[in-house]
Amino acid sequence: MKAGDARVPDLFGVAQYGVVHTGGTRKIAEHGGGHSDDLAVPLVVSGASVPAGVRYSAHVQTKQIAPTILNLLGLDPRSLQAVREEHTTALPIR
């Protein structure tokens, strides 16, 4: 890409942790970011096809949630394009 290409950003911004940028004087909501508080999401899965007492406390990625749900429903997680392209694995709950 070349300078002047509409697909190239004219400006890059890097936010400092703890700083919230708003257009006014108060914050309405945040949409998350790259900090561990935004990335650490507890997940509880319950249902008829979920084995009792399974606990997996290793670090996992949120992109593993969709293939895990499909797996629990008896569907093929590889039916998702992103799972195929990114080689995403379902969580080991079975």
Side-chain angles (χ1 to χ4, degrees):
M1 290 187 210
K2 298 179 182 178
D5 187 330
R7 297 173 293 172
V8 177
D10 295 323
L11 178 69
F12 289 94
V14 179
Q16 179 180 357
Y17 174 70
V19 175
V20 178
H21 301 275
T22 69
T25 58
R26 65 187 190 101
K27 174 176 77 170
I28 297 173
E30 288 185 57
H31 297 287
H35 189 266
S36 63
D37 287 347
D38 299 318
L39 298 174
V41 181
L43 177 66
V44 176
V45 180
S46 178
S49 63
V50 180
V54 175
R55 183 182 178 128
Y56 191 74
S57 55
H59 288 268
V60 298
Q61 297 177 324
T62 54
K63 69 180 185 177
Q64 291 178 278
I65 295 171
T68 301
I69 291 170
L70 290 178
N71 195 20
L72 289 168
L73 292 172
L75 302 172
D76 182 9
R78 294 194 45 79
S79 65
L80 298 175
Q81 179 181 355
V83 169
R84 290 190 310 272
E85 291 181 5
E86 299 176 9
H87 308 288
T88 307
T89 59
L91 298 173
I93 56 174
R94 287 190 174 227

